[in-house]
C-alpha cells in the first residue's frame, strides 16, 4: 500500500477515507483533523486555560501530545482511581509522559479526596463504569474550576461517541441526544467540555500514540467486564467493516440533522446543598452515591 | 509465525497465512479494531507475512465511560 499524500510506503490504512498514509503523512493528517475539530466547534481560543483529562490510555495521551504539538498550552489532570495495580501503572505512565515532555500535571487521588476508591464504589448497586464515570466527571469539573481552567478537554474518539450515540438512540434518550456532541458549553459552576479527537477513530488514536512513541496502558481496566458500551462498539465495528464510513456518517449526520430535532429541557443549575457543585436537584448525584458507599461501609462494619 | 495477543496476554503459533488480512481473518479479528506490529513497525492489512515473523496484535478498543 502506498501513502496517498507522498506515495511512500503506507503504515496506516484509513478505510473510511479510502486512504493510507506513511508515518509522517499520518501524523500530519491526525493533527489536521484535531485542528479542524477545534476550529469548527470553537472548542477553545487563545484566552482559554485548557486542562486535559489524562487517564494513561492511548486517547488522552495522544490528545495531550497533539495539543502540545499544535502549540496549545495545557495542563494534564490525572485522577488516581485506586484500582490496584492498574491505577498504579496508569499514574506512573502519565507522570513519566509529563516529565519527559516537560508538561505540567495535576494528580488527584480519589480515595484521599473523597474517602473511597472505585473498587469499593463498584460493590454497590450501580455498575462499576457508571459510578466511575460519575466520579470522574464530578472530580474533573471540580478540579478544573478550582484551578481556574476555562476548558476541560477529554480524549473521547469517534468510536466512543458513536457507541454513546447508539446507546442513546436505542433507548431514545431525548435529553442526552439534545446535549451529546463535541462541545458541552459552560454553565454556572460547570466548566466547558470539549472532545478534540471526535473526528478520529480509536484505531487512529492508537496508531498515533504508537507512531509518536507514546508509552500507554494497553491493559483493560479490571472492572470493565460486562460494559454495554463495549458491546455497542463491537456492533458498530461489524457495520463499519461491512461499510466503511458508517460511524463517521452516523455521528456527522446526527450532529447536522438528528440533534436539532431534540430539544433539551432547560436545566437550572444550583449549588448542591452538601458540596456546592452544580446540580439540578438539591443534592447532586455524586453526593448521593457517596452517601450510599459510606453507608454500606458502616453497615458492613456493624455486621462484622 | 509467533503471534502475541493482549488482554489477556498470550503467544500463539499460526501457520499458512500470507498477509495481515489473512492472519486477522484466521483469528476472527476485524482489522480496524487492532494495530498489527512487526519489529516496531505498524503493518497495513495488505502487508505480506513470513512464517518466521513475530507479530503483535494489539487491541485498540478501550471501554468504560470517561
Amino acid at each position: 500500500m502506498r501513502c496517498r499524500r507522498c506515495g511512500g510506503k503506507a503504515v496506516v490504512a484509513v478505510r473510511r477515507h479510502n486512504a493510507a498514509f506513511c508515518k509522517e503523512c499520518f501524523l500530519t493528517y491526525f493533527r489536521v483533523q484535531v485542528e479542524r475539530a477545534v476550529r469548527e466547534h470553537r472548542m477553545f481560543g487563545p484566552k482559554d486555560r485548557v486542562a486535559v483529562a489524562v487517564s494513561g490510555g492511548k486517547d488522552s495521551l495522544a490528545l495531550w501530545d497533539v495539543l502540545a504539538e499544535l502549540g496549545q498550552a495545557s495542563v494534564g489532570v490525572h485522577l488516581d482511581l485506586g484500582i490496584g495495580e492498574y491505577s498504579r501503572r496508569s499514574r506512573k505512565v502519565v507522570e513519566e509522559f509529563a516529565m519527559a515532555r516537560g508538561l505540567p500535571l495535576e494528580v488527584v487521588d480519589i480515595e484521599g479526596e473523597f474517602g473511597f476508591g472505585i473498587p469499593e464504589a463498584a460493590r454497590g448497586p450501580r455498575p462499576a463504569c457508571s459510578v466511575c464515570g460519575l466520579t470522574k466527571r464530578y472530580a474533573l469539573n471540580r478540579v478544573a474550576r478550582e484551578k481556574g481552567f476555562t476548558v476541560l478537554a477529554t480524549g473521547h474518539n469517534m468510536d466512543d461517541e458513536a457507541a454513546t450515540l447508539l446507546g442513546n438512540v436505542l433507548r431514545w434518550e431525548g435529553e442526552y441526544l439534545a446535549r451529546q456532541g463535541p462541545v458541552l458549553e459552560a454553565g454556572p459552576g460547570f466548566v466547558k467540555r470539549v472532545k478534540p479527537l471526535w473526528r478520529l477513530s480509536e484505531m487512529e488514536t492508537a496508531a498515533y500514540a504508537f507512531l509518536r512513541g507514546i508509552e500507554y496502558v494497553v491493559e483493560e481496566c479490571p472492572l470493565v467486564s460486562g460494559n454495554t458500551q463495549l458491546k455497542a462498539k463491537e456492533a458498530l465495528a461489524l457495520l463499519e467493516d461491512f461499510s466503511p464510513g458508517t460511524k463517521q456518517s452516523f455521528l456527522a449526520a446526527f450532529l447536522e440533522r438528528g440533534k436539532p430535532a431534540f430539544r433539551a429541557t432547560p436545566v437550572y443549575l444550583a449549588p448542591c446543598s452538601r458540596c456546592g457543585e452544580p446540580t439540578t436537584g438539591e443534592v447532586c448525584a455524586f453526593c448521593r452515591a457517596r452517601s450510599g458507599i459510606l453507608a454500606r461501609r458502616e453497615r458492613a462494619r456493624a455486621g462484622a | 509465525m509467533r503471534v502475541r495477543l493482549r488482554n489477556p496476554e498470550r503467544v500463539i503459533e499460526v501457520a499458512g497465512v500470507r498477509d495481515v488480512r489473512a492472519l486477522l481473518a484466521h483469528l476472527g479479528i476485524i482489522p480496524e479494531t487492532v494495530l498489527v506490529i512487526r519489529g516496531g513497525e505498524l503493518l497495513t492489512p495488505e502487508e505480506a507475512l513470513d512464517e518466521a515473523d513475530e507479530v503483535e496484535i494489539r487491541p485498540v478498543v478501550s471501554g468504560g465511560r470517561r
Side-chain angles (χ1 to χ4, degrees):
Chain A
M1 270 181 138
R2 310 309 298 179
C3 172
R4 180 163 87 174
R5 290 177 83 240
C6 74
K9 184 177 183 301
V11 296
V12 184
V14 183
R15 280 181 75 208
R16 74 175 186 286
H17 294 316
N18 198 21
F21 300 102
C22 70
K23 176 180 173 179
E24 288 310 318
C25 292
F26 176 76
L27 295 177
T28 301
Y29 154 82
F30 193 93
R31 290 178 194 124
V32 166
Q33 294 298 319
V34 173
E35 278 182 312
R36 189 172 159 189
V38 170
R39 191 176 61 244
E40 277 184 358
H41 298 279
R42 297 192 176 120
M43 292 185 175
F44 41 76
K47 288 183 182 165
D48 280 308
R49 287 198 67 217
V50 179
V52 182
V54 278
S55 64
K58 66 189 189 308
D59 303 303
S60 56
L61 289 177
L63 172 60
W64 204 13
D65 182 85
V66 73
L67 290 182
E69 282 290 298
L70 293 170
Q72 173 62 50
S74 64
V75 174
V77 179
H78 175 72
L79 305 179
D80 186 329
L81 302 169
I83 309 175
E85 185 52 34
Y86 177 75
S87 286
R88 279 190 288 277
R89 170 143 169 71
S90 300
R91 181 171 176 162
K92 184 165 177 277
V93 160
V94 172
E95 286 175 340
E96 286 177 356
F97 178 93
M99 183 91 77
R101 287 163 171 78
L103 294 170
L105 173 69
E106 298 274 348
V107 176
V108 179
D109 177 40
I110 291 292
E111 194 157 7
E113 192 79 13
F114 302 120
F116 64 87
I118 298 302
E120 183 182 5
R123 288 196 284 271
R126 289 179 82 132
C129 295
S130 166
V131 72
C132 185
L134 172 68
T135 305
K136 285 190 280 192
R137 286 191 296 277
Y138 178 89
L140 287 170
N141 186 63
R142 196 163 108 173
V143 172
R145 195 190 61 247
E146 286 176 355
K147 302 275 180 188
F149 293 102
T150 55
V151 176
L152 176 63
T154 58
H156 291 91
N157 57 49
M158 176 182 291
D159 292 70
D160 296 325
E161 290 302 284
T164 299
L165 177 58
L166 180 60
N168 287 339
V169 167
L170 289 174
R171 293 186 299 278
W172 290 114
E173 298 274 14
E175 290 288 328
Y176 292 162
L177 289 164
R179 291 191 174 84
Q180 187 184 342
V183 172
L184 201 53
E185 293 295 345
F190 186 79
V191 177
K192 179 179 179 179
R193 288 183 180 230
V194 301
K195 301 166 183 169
L197 301 184
W198 85 273
R199 301 181 56 84
L200 291 151
S201 76
E202 203 146 46
M203 186 276 288
E204 289 159 66
T205 63
Y208 178 88
F210 180 85
L211 293 172
R212 288 282 298 157
I214 296 171
E215 192 72 31
Y216 64 90
V217 178
V218 178
E219 296 76 32
E220 277 184 350
C221 171
L223 304 178
V224 80
S225 66
N227 179 294
T228 49
Q229 196 181 27
L230 284 181
K231 290 291 164 202
K233 282 187 175 179
E234 283 175 22
L236 286 164
L238 282 172
L239 293 171
E240 180 77 18
D241 191 50
F242 180 72
S243 177
T246 296
K247 284 181 293 196
Q248 183 167 343
S249 61
F250 183 43
L251 268 177
F254 162 71
L255 292 175
E256 192 187 320
R257 302 194 298 275
K259 187 173 171 172
F262 296 90
R263 203 166 295 150
T265 311
V267 290
Y268 299 99
L269 296 173
C272 166
S273 62
R274 292 189 199 165
C275 71
E277 281 293 295
T279 178
T280 52
E282 195 214 330
V283 177
C284 74
F286 176 77
C287 282
R288 292 198 304 271
R290 183 167 179 264
S291 297
I293 294 160
L294 298 180
R296 263 199 316 280
R297 186 191 293 171
E298 282 307 308
R299 281 199 301 275
R301 267 198 199 132
Chain B
M1 72 194 70
R2 284 166 67 82
V3 181
R4 179 185 179 197
L5 299 161
R6 312 286 287 260
N7 296 337
E9 180 88 36
R10 61 216 187 273
V11 175
I12 59 169
E13 287 286 338
V14 176
V17 294
R18 285 178 308 178
D19 58 27
V20 171
R21 187 179 303 286
L23 171 65
L24 296 177
H26 174 77
L27 297 171
I29 295 171
I30 296 173
E32 291 227 359
T33 63
V34 292
L35 296 183
V36 181
I37 302 159
R38 178 182 60 196
E41 304 242 320
L42 287 184
L43 305 180
T44 61
E46 273 67 42
E47 196 73 39
L49 293 174
D50 186 86
E51 289 295 327
D53 280 340
E54 293 191 11
V55 299
E56 176 190 343
I57 298 179
R58 185 183 294 185
V60 301
V61 181
S62 52
R65 296 179 194 175
R66 263 164 291 165

